[in-house]
DNA sequence: AAGACGGGGTA
DNA sequence: TACCCAGTCTT
């Protein structure tokens, strides 16, 4: 009877979590009521913003715009001014647009209606729907992803949409349908204060007994992320042939690994160069790296032409260079070369 | 799928 | 000083 056992476990989980929440819940300004407008404003403010940072702005904002009608009637610049210091100003612009929609057509009464408002994604729609409307929607923010990954001891990369869906389904299964708003806030508060990214305080955790990661001792390693793009530390040289003048194409140089431990470590840079006599004028600065077995090339236009033979004169074949995925910078550089009448040809030296 | 968005907090 | 944080929207 695995289903029955599962249901029983989920029920116990809810009891433990909510008992902990009831005993430890913080008094926050937006918890004084479950008023839709106040909950909504707080959830938008709390996107990418810490509770402590949001509180003073929240209080000021509500004083300035005490009800949705006031917000809807305000000018955008007034709203932006009240938002100043919070960052991500598109949140304020979306909120303002959404306020006009709510003022005109009424408070949303479902997850879908909430989700349709500008600035309300899956998280915000679920949070407001559960806290203000009492609807059984699981709100999955970064905290909940961390808690869910540890409860299930699931080391799949947490930024993949499919994996996030799995964690959301777990949260949905655990959700207390009679107190969805409290349950969601309890999960998030657990993640923020106990189930910490580093150094989780398992001894203080109300649901330790339900945690598969804790049982396996893997809690510190979760949630897992996509494997870091791997830069192969191999002396690969890339030959680019660039058509420079009406005369034809010219082979140009290449690149060596950039040094240092900085952001550019692992990229490849051209050696210092001299200007060739034939007036080759516009050669890019090239950086490339092997990322997950794919060649990536970035090309910067450089005011000074550069050409230099490789010191050792050796070339290595780069696989499928003509199919190299160019990043945004490289595409811009190539487009710029083409606009200037120079057709870049990519070729493989050997 | 990947990057922009903006502050503040932290190594 | 530079990196990190993590929802939503855009491309």
């Amino acid at each position: 009877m695995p289903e029955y056992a599962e249901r029983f476990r989920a029920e116990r989980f809810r009891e433990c979590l909510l008992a902990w929440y009831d005993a430890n819940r913080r008094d926050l300004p937006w918890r004084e009521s479950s008023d839709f407008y106040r909950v909504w404003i707080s959830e938008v403010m709390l996107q990418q913003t810490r509770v402590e940072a949001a509180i003073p702005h929240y209080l000021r904002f509500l004083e300035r715009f005490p009800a949705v009608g006031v917000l809807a009637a305000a000018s955008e610049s007034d709203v932006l001014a009240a938002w100043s210091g919070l960052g991500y100003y598109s949140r304020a612009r979306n909120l303002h647009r959404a306020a006009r929609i709510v003022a005109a057509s009424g408070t949303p009464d479902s997850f879908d209606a909430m989700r349709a408002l500008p600035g309300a994604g899956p998280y915000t729609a679920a949070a407001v729907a559960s806290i203000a409307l009492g609807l059984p929607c699981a709100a999955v923010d970064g905290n909940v992803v961390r808690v869910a990954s540890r409860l299930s001891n699931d080391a799949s990369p947490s930024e993949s949409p499919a994996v996030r869906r799995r964690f959301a389904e777990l949260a949905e299964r655990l959700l207390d349908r009679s107190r969805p708003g409290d349950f969601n806030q309890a999960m998030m508060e657990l993640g923020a204060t106990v189930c910490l990214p580093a150094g989780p305080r398992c001894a203080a955790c109300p649901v330790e007994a339900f945690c598969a990661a804790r049982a396996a001792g893997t809690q510190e390693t979760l949630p897992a992320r996509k494997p870091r793009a791997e830069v192969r530390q191999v002396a690969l040289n890339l030959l680019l042939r660039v058509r420079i003048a009406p005369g034809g194409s010219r082979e140009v140089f290449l690149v060596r690994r950039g040094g240092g431990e900085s952001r550019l470590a692992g990229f490849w840079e051209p050696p210092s160069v001299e200007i060739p006599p034939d007036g080759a004028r516009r050669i890019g600065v090239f950086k490339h790296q092997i990322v997950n077995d794919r060649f990536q090339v970035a090309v910067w236009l450089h005011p000074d032409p550069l050409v230099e033979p490789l010191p050792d004169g050796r070339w290595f074949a780069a696989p499928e260079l003509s199919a190299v995925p160019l990043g945004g910078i490289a595409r811009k550089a190539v487009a710029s070369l083409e606009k200037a009448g120079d057709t870049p040809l990519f070729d493989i030296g050997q």
Side-chain angles (χ1 to χ4, degrees), chain A residues 267-339:
Chain A
F267 283 87
W268 297 63
E269 297 173 332
S272 57
V273 293
E274 355 174 312
I275 302 172
D278 73 337
R281 54 197 169 80
R282 189 163 35 250
I283 307 299
V285 173
F286 302 88
K287 294 174 188 284
H288 71 276
Q289 59 180 355
I290 313 263
V291 177
N292 295 335
D293 284 325
R294 288 174 23 156
F295 233 90
Q296 292 191 344
V297 183
V299 185
W300 280 261
L301 291 187
H302 195 282
D304 300 319
L306 12 106
V307 173
E308 186 193 56
L310 286 170
D312 57 11
R314 288 185 305 139
W315 301 98
F316 295 81
E320 304 290 328
L321 189 52
S322 59
V324 156
L326 296 177
I329 293 171
R331 280 198 302 276
K332 276 182 203 159
V334 169
S336 174
L337 279 173
E338 284 171 345
K339 196 174 167 193

Side-chain angles (χ1 to χ4, degrees), chain A residues 64-65 70-81 96 100:
Chain A
R64 175 72 185 76
F65 307 110
V70 183
L71 182 58
S75 72
E76 184 179 277
S77 59
D78 280 354
V79 177
L80 290 174
H96 187 220
R100 297 193 158 170

Side-chain angles (χ1 to χ4, degrees), chain A residues 8-265:
Chain A
F8 182 75
R9 252 176 91 73
E11 209 134 306
R12 283 288 302 146
F13 178 92
R14 282 172 208 126
E15 287 171 16
C16 294
L17 183 70
L18 284 170
W20 171 83
Y21 180 69
D22 290 336
N24 293 284
R25 90 182 251 160
R26 289 179 283 176
D27 285 325
L28 299 171
W30 44 85
R31 286 184 178 164
E32 285 168 14
S33 78
S34 58
D35 175 66
F36 169 83
Y37 178 68
R38 297 173 151 256
V39 170
W40 178 33
I41 300 294
S42 74
E43 285 301 337
V44 173
M45 276 193 187
L46 288 169
Q47 292 167 8
Q48 292 82 45
T49 306
R50 292 165 188 280
V51 167
E52 300 73 33
I55 288 175
H57 288 99
Y58 174 83
L59 295 172
R60 261 196 303 117
F61 195 92
L62 268 162
E63 214 168 295
R64 175 72 185 76
F65 307 110
V68 66
V70 183
L71 182 58
S75 72
E76 184 179 277
S77 59
D78 280 354
V79 177
L80 290 174
W83 199 265
S84 71
L86 275 168
Y88 281 103
Y89 291 89
S90 64
R91 290 187 295 173
R93 278 187 281 268
N94 284 332
L95 189 59
H96 187 220
R97 281 203 290 144
R100 297 193 158 170
I101 294 172
V102 171
S105 50
T107 300
D109 60 354
S110 67
F111 172 87
D112 289 338
M114 192 59 222
R115 177 73 181 81
L117 294 176
Y123 164 76
T124 304
V128 176
S130 64
I131 298 170
L133 309 177
L135 298 173
C137 309
V140 182
D141 73 343
N143 289 310
V144 176
V145 166
R146 185 168 58 255
V147 171
S149 72
R150 287 173 176 170
L151 285 174
S152 56
N153 194 22
D154 187 336
S156 312
S158 63
E159 54 285 74
S160 117
V163 175
R164 277 193 90 92
R165 258 197 303 283
R166 215 154 62 221
F167 292 152
E169 280 162 19
L170 174 57
E172 209 76 56
R173 269 208 313 284
L174 294 174
L175 180 70
D176 188 317
R177 303 178 75 85
S178 65
R179 297 178 60 190
D182 286 343
F183 178 88
N184 283 333
Q185 294 182 84
M187 288 284 276
M188 295 189 275
E189 196 126 328
L190 185 73
T193 62
V194 174
C195 196
L196 302 167
R201 302 164 46 218
C202 298
C205 179
V207 293
E208 181 189 11
F210 303 86
C211 184
R214 173 62 163 164
T218 54
Q219 66 274 16
E220 292 270 4
T221 70
L222 296 171
R225 304 193 170 266
K226 273 188 186 149
R228 210 66 199 126
E230 184 189 334
V231 177
R232 214 182 277 164
Q233 301 294 312
V234 187
L236 252 186
N237 288 322
L238 164 69
L239 170 63
L240 297 181
R241 180 178 295 150
V242 179
R243 194 188 303 279
I244 289 168
S249 70
R250 173 178 188 84
E251 288 178 346
V252 224
F253 39 90
L254 255 280
V255 280
R256 289 183 297 192
R257 183 164 56 91
E261 299 300 318
S262 69
R263 234 176 339 153
L264 295 180

